[in-house]
């Protein structure tokens, strides 16, 4: 049981390049989330998926798109990377049952946009 | 908008001491609160949670206290160990239409000296 896994661990992009961050969970969770964490700050929600087939914007969705590929996988895409998107990106998942819904986090992807 | 914040950005303690990390929240509609621990280079790790219908909850060496009157949350760590050194975040879930969308505080750096 690996929990939440993310690939890649590190990535360097040039401004304008595109890339997709991958996330998978093996806990049979319904809900999945993408956050970004900037230095000295807490996590901010980019997008989330309450259940397979649905996605919704979080606090900072601009410049990103997401795809809930199936129940296990939730990807985050940067179509045209900008230096302001340099950050650490975390994926999380939760049962999504409507009660106390603990989110479990992956190890993160460290992205630098030059 | 609503926010979750911490009174102290850093806390240094001696091994064996008890630690108290504080958090203020401003959204009176929040009904679920979580403490996360984040070690360097890793994703946040769940420590303990509490619902708004409780004022205290205990785990192994950790206790969370919730004071809804003054919108204050605290994490107490008993007999702090060097392995407890990390950044600690509080997070709130407003529930309702915001269910699952956590708002994180900035974090407190806890340093435990042997």
């Amino acid at each position: 049981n690996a929990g939440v896994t993310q690939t890649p661990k590190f990535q360097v992009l040039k401004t304008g390049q595109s890339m997709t961050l991958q996330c998978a969970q093996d806990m049979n969770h319904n809900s999945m989330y993408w956050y970004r964490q900037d230095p000295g700050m807490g996590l901010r929600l980019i997008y989330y998926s309450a259940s397979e087939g649905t996605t919704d914007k979080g606090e900072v969705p601009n410049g990103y798109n997401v795809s809930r590929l199936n129940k296990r996988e939730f990807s985050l895409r940067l179509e045209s990377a900008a230096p302001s998107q340099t950050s650490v990106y975390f994926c999380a998942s939760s049962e999504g049952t409507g009660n106390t819904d603990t989110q479990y986090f992956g190890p993160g992807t460290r992205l630098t946009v030059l | 908008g609503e926010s979750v914040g911490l009174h102290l950005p850093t806390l240094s303690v001696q091994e064996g001491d008890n630690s108290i990390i504080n958090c203020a929240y401003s959204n009176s509609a929040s009904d679920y609160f979580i403490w996360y621990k984040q070690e360097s280079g890793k994703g946040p790790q769940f420590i303990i949670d509490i619902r708004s219908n409780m004022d205290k909850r205990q785990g192994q060496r950790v206790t969370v206290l919730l004071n809804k009157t003054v919108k204050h949350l605290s994490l107490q760590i008993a007999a702090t160990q060097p392995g407890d050194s990390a950044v600690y975040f509080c997070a709130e879930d407003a529930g309702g239409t915001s269910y699952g969308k956590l708002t994180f505080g900035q974090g407190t750096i806890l340093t435990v000296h042997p």
Side-chain angles (χ1 to χ4, degrees):
Chain A
N1 187 335
V4 179
T5 57
Q6 294 181 236
T7 56
K9 285 184 168 48
F10 301 92
Q11 184 71 50
V12 179
L13 294 177
K14 295 181 180 178
T15 296
Q17 288 185 317
S18 62
M19 79 160 296
T20 300
L21 282 65
Q22 306 288 352
C23 174
Q25 52 90 11
D26 61 3
M27 295 176 281
N28 200 36
H29 284 170
N30 291 307
S31 301
M32 298 185 74
Y33 312 82
W34 276 106
Y35 292 87
R36 61 177 288 173
Q37 184 177 33
D38 298 309
M41 296 182 67
L43 283 73
R44 291 183 293 169
L45 184 64
I46 304 172
Y47 269 95
Y48 69 105
S49 172
S51 61
E52 186 178 356
T54 68
T55 60
D56 284 288
K57 295 179 180 179
E59 180 185 354
V60 288
N62 291 345
Y64 306 95
N65 286 300
V66 291
S67 295
R68 184 72 182 268
L69 304 171
N70 48 56
K71 190 171 186 179
R72 288 187 63 248
E73 299 172 288
F74 188 38
S75 63
L76 178 72
R77 183 161 178 83
L78 286 70
E79 290 291 352
S80 179
S84 61
Q85 294 178 305
T86 294
S87 190
V88 182
Y89 291 85
F90 289 100
C91 177
S93 71
S94 67
E95 289 185 359
T97 57
N99 291 314
T100 52
D101 200 29
T102 303
Q103 293 185 23
Y104 297 90
F105 287 81
T109 293
R110 283 147 185 80
L111 175 66
T112 301
V113 184
L114 303 175
Chain B
E2 301 290 352
S3 65
V4 176
L6 295 171
H7 295 301
L8 299 174
T10 62
L11 178 64
S12 292
V13 301
Q14 291 295 127
E15 182 177 2
D17 287 350
N18 296 331
S19 302
I20 300 176
I21 301 171
N22 296 303
C23 176
Y25 67 95
S26 57
N27 186 353
S28 57
S30 292
D31 64 358
Y32 178 51
F33 303 87
I34 314 103
W35 281 101
Y36 284 94
K37 171 187 180 182
Q38 186 176 27
E39 296 174 285
S40 181
K42 297 184 179 180
Q45 177 186 1
F46 171 84
I47 302 174
I48 192 167
D49 59 0
I50 189 168
R51 290 204 68 93
S52 60
N53 60 354
M54 303 171 68
D55 54 19
K56 180 179 180 179
R57 191 165 188 216
Q58 288 185 294
Q60 187 177 12
R61 284 201 305 119
V62 294
T63 301
V64 55
L65 299 177
L66 175 62
N67 185 330
K68 295 180 287 294
T69 302
V70 295
K71 297 179 191 170
H72 185 266
L73 193 67
S74 68
L75 176 70
Q76 300 179 359
I77 305 175
T80 315
Q81 303 168 0
D84 295 326
S85 294
V87 180
Y88 289 81
F89 294 95
C90 62
E92 61 176 328
D93 186 334
T97 57
S98 298
Y99 171 71
K101 296 168 71 172
L102 295 180
T103 300
F104 282 80
Q106 289 184 316
T108 293
I109 301 172
L110 174 65
T111 303
V112 183
H113 301 284

